[in-house]
Amino acid sequence: MQVQAPTMIGRARAETDSVQGFDGLAPCWPGRRHVLDLDDFAPGEIVQVLGTAATMKEILQRPIKKVPTLRGKTIVTMFYESSTRTRVSFEVAAKVLGADAVNVAAPTSSATKGESLINTVQTLQAIGADIVVMRHPQSGAPWLVAPRVHAAVINAGDGWHAHPTQALLDVFTIHEHLGRVRGVRVTIVGDVLHSRVARSNIWALTKLGAEVTVCGPPTLLPRDWLLEPSRLPWAVRVCERLDEALDGADVVMALRLQRERQHGGLIPSVREYSHLYGLTTERLRQADSSAIVMHPGPMNEGVEIAPDVAHGPRSVIEAQVTNGVAVRMSLLYLLFGGEAALERSD
Amino acid sequence: MQAARIRIANGRILDPSQELDERGDVVIENDRIVGVHWASGHAPASSPAERVVDAESLVVAPGFVDLHCHLREPGLEYKETIATGTRAAAAGGFTTVCCMPNTEPTLDTASDIEWIHAVAHRDAVVRVYPIGAITKGRLGIELAELADMGRAGAVAFSDDGNPVRSGKLLRNALSYARITGRPVVDHCEDHDLVDGGVMHEGSVSSRLGLRGAPAESEEAAIARDLALAQAVGGRLHLAHVSTAHSIELVRDAKARGTRVTAEVTPHHLVLTHAWVAGFEEGVTRYDTNCRVNPPLRTEEDRVALIRGVADGTIDAIATDHAPHDVVDKNCEFDRAAPGISGLETAFGLLMRLVAPTNGDPALPLATIVRALTMGASRAFNLDLGTLRVGALADLVLLDPDAHWTVDVQRFHSKGKNSPLDGQDLRGIVRLTMVGGKIVHEVPR
Ligand SMILES: [Zn+2]
């Protein structure tokens, strides 16, 4: 069902229809309540989000960055794990669209019992939140919240599981720089086992026809991906050696390495990890000469990525941050698209 | 008032201990079975003084014996009590339950065992046989007084919930327990390998981003235990075996003559890790009611467990009934207490194996009943699980074709933690009798 859209979004839709590089994947937005994971997104829905994001990005470049589409709506950000970058990105997106953004300070101690999450949810109900943006260190926490609130829930990262908006902004950035997604060879390097960014990117990229390779030491790759790749829900190449993984890549995405992995016995040392898997100018010669380099941030420069790569000509890391706001505006708008249309018809 | 003489008339008598599967009557006087008559034998005319229970189209089987359940009393009565847990057992067709000692305090002395017997005498509606701890406080440091507990009526020894980490200590327990004639029950899990895993390590854990407990965390522990039991000639019983390779290890050990028995749970026979992903209809993703230890495994594991029951590698089906309060489950998956409230759904769940629609190897009802009765009884050396003349009148009437919908709010157990809530099951326990006394009855 297509919603009748107000002027601004009318343009968003028009541009979406003509978005290049999706090989005929028609944008669609059947309407959804929550954004918890990308595994249940139809390819057309992702195209819709990206197309709408392109219009949002244009709005962000206007002198007066303000559209009243979500006026009167309350967006609550609730971060059980600190991430200034993601939280601020959502808050800016909300404010540009005219919504009120409220940050609920959430206890971040790992000793805090789950009960407190349920209690916080009740607070959200009392506030009258329309959208809850949540980050939580436990995989699946948004599934605990979503059925218990009237609000729409957007997962801003849960444990090792999913980070849908990061993946959408990554795909948007790839499309922006390469002009297409289908057939693009994307290599994701690093601690894939513990990475929600990798998981969500794999869903988004494979749904749009990209060819994904993941690479890391075997102790930081899910065992079943390594040993039984034929049983995975998507076709992803799994590599233990970086040179092999980089061969011909159009996009190289480095993941953050947590220093705890050394103490957890998963790698001998950060030094050796960096030696084997760190992205350096030298290594990137394996990749396509026009390959772009991405990182979800925050970076450990000198560990998973050399400073000259992070800030070099191939890096699109800054663009990722800018695009994050546009993509989040797009999602917020689409989640309330139906209601925005109603406001206009009044 | 119960009639002193009861005739269960015209049922399908299914008693693996006598290799009996015939239509006929079972006659009970006071607490004993006094007659089993089938069509080819001669059933004496019913006397006017007896009560007749019509068992037409029902299965008459020995009462089920659960080798593994958690009644939570003493100390955790907010989760379950001996009164509520045994009522749940009766509803599930279990006439005997063996309760695990991971209570507060731990059941690790003869007086604890006597206390359970005393409370059971007062509150229980089915037989309660306590299992004593292997080590004091289940801490894995010093042996508990096994012989003393055995004399007080402990039917087995287990630190369930914890494995016995020290191989030396388990070896000593297996050796020392020989004087009690009672098995040592190990919850096989190498905690180092589990490394905080909250579900089976595999395609679902890697998809859901949950920390996985690998199959080898169980298999390595089982391999060690089998070597120790073989070495000292002790009686080892393996709790809740859950992987395909574990089954192979047990099969090989039995072939070598190791004195080992093993159990599986109904949930490991029917559910898989896919339930955690919410792929099953009516199941939500990250449902903490699917968090259980050992975790729900893969389809290959599940099929291997079914084959293990079919060929006798697995001796018993035991529920590992683990009731929890809602606060223990109403939280993030990682933080939820592991366990499924299983007594009341066991039979209905197992019936899914009798006429599988999904290509599973079929498990005949007689095989399931054997594992729930004679198989279980022999594993713990109990004189139960039979309809022989002279035996205690512990029996069930099963209605294998009747459908029902699981509603956890109607459980007798305090533990409403079941992933099966709302599921349609086939197979109802119509009547449960313990020592000639009807303790549960569902009219047709
Ligand atoms: Zn256990």
Side-chain angles (χ1 to χ4, degrees), chain A residues 37 39 109-115 117-118 136 138-141 143-144 148 158-161 194 199 203 222-225 231 233, chain B residues 195 200-212 214-216 279 284-286 288 298 300 327 329-335:
Chain A
D37 193 359
D39 66 342
S109 143
S110 61
T112 315
K113 269 286 184 190
E115 185 61 11
L117 180 55
I118 300 276
H136 200 282
Q138 251 86 42
S139 297
W143 274 257
L144 187 65
R148 292 173 171 82
D158 64 321
W160 308 343
H161 173 237
H194 303 97
R199 283 180 178 77
W203 280 116
R223 181 169 60 167
D224 63 303
W225 295 18
R231 298 173 77 163
Chain B
D195 194 25
H200 174 69
E201 185 196 55
S203 58
V204 178
S205 70
S206 63
R207 175 163 175 175
L208 297 187
L210 290 171
R211 193 182 278 268
E216 63 270 21
F279 293 152
T284 56
R285 185 166 289 191
Y286 295 104
T288 55
T298 67
E300 287 84 349
V327 301
K329 286 289 193 182
N330 202 1
C331 59
E332 297 91 328
F333 197 89
D334 300 58
R335 290 169 171 164

Side-chain angles (χ1 to χ4, degrees), chain B residues 168-385:
Chain B
K168 181 182 72 177
L169 199 58
L170 187 75
R171 184 178 189 271
N172 290 341
L174 284 162
S175 177
Y176 189 86
R178 288 169 62 101
I179 60 180
T180 68
R182 294 281 159 204
V184 169
V185 182
D186 200 17
H187 162 127
C188 289
E189 186 175 60
D190 180 322
H191 275 175
D192 267 351
L193 288 171
V194 170
D195 194 25
V198 296
M199 71 172 296
H200 174 69
E201 185 196 55
S203 58
V204 178
S205 70
S206 63
R207 175 163 175 175
L208 297 187
L210 290 171
R211 193 182 278 268
E216 63 270 21
S217 63
E218 171 175 310
E219 293 150 358
I222 285 184
R224 180 200 73 167
D225 284 15
L226 291 169
L228 297 174
Q230 170 91 357
V232 299
R235 262 290 287 117
L236 173 67
H237 177 81
L238 301 169
H240 42 57
V241 171
S242 70
T243 81
H245 186 53
S246 296
I247 299 286
E248 286 172 31
L249 290 167
V250 176
R251 195 176 279 132
D252 291 352
K254 284 189 164 182
R256 281 199 315 273
T258 309
R259 297 172 68 211
V260 60
T261 50
E263 71 189 32
V264 291
T265 72
H267 48 267
H268 288 111
L269 285 167
V270 180
L271 316 186
T272 68
H273 62 165
W275 280 62
V276 183
F279 293 152
E280 293 291 321
E281 211 181 306
V283 182
T284 56
R285 185 166 289 191
Y286 295 104
D287 181 356
T288 55
N289 290 315
C290 292
R291 175 148 190 223
V292 63
N293 201 14
L296 300 173
R297 305 275 186 193
T298 67
E299 190 59 23
E300 287 84 349
D301 292 315
R302 194 179 74 81
V303 170
L305 298 183
I306 294 172
R307 294 193 204 283
V309 174
D311 72 10
T313 302
I314 298 297
D315 302 86
I317 295 172
T319 64
D320 193 7
H321 173 73
H324 288 294
D325 187 78
V326 65
V327 301
D328 303 317
K329 286 289 193 182
N330 202 1
C331 59
E332 297 91 328
F333 197 89
D334 300 58
R335 290 169 171 164
I340 291 174
S341 180
L343 283 167
E344 290 165 82
T345 52
F347 178 62
L349 206 48
L350 292 168
M351 280 303 296
R352 286 195 174 174
L353 302 172
V354 174
T357 51
N358 56 354
D360 279 3
L363 213 46
L365 181 58
T367 307
I368 289 171
V369 168
R370 182 188 69 199
L372 286 166
T373 59
M374 180 189 79
S377 173
R378 288 193 184 162
F380 277 13
N381 204 10
L382 308 172
D383 198 12
L384 297 166

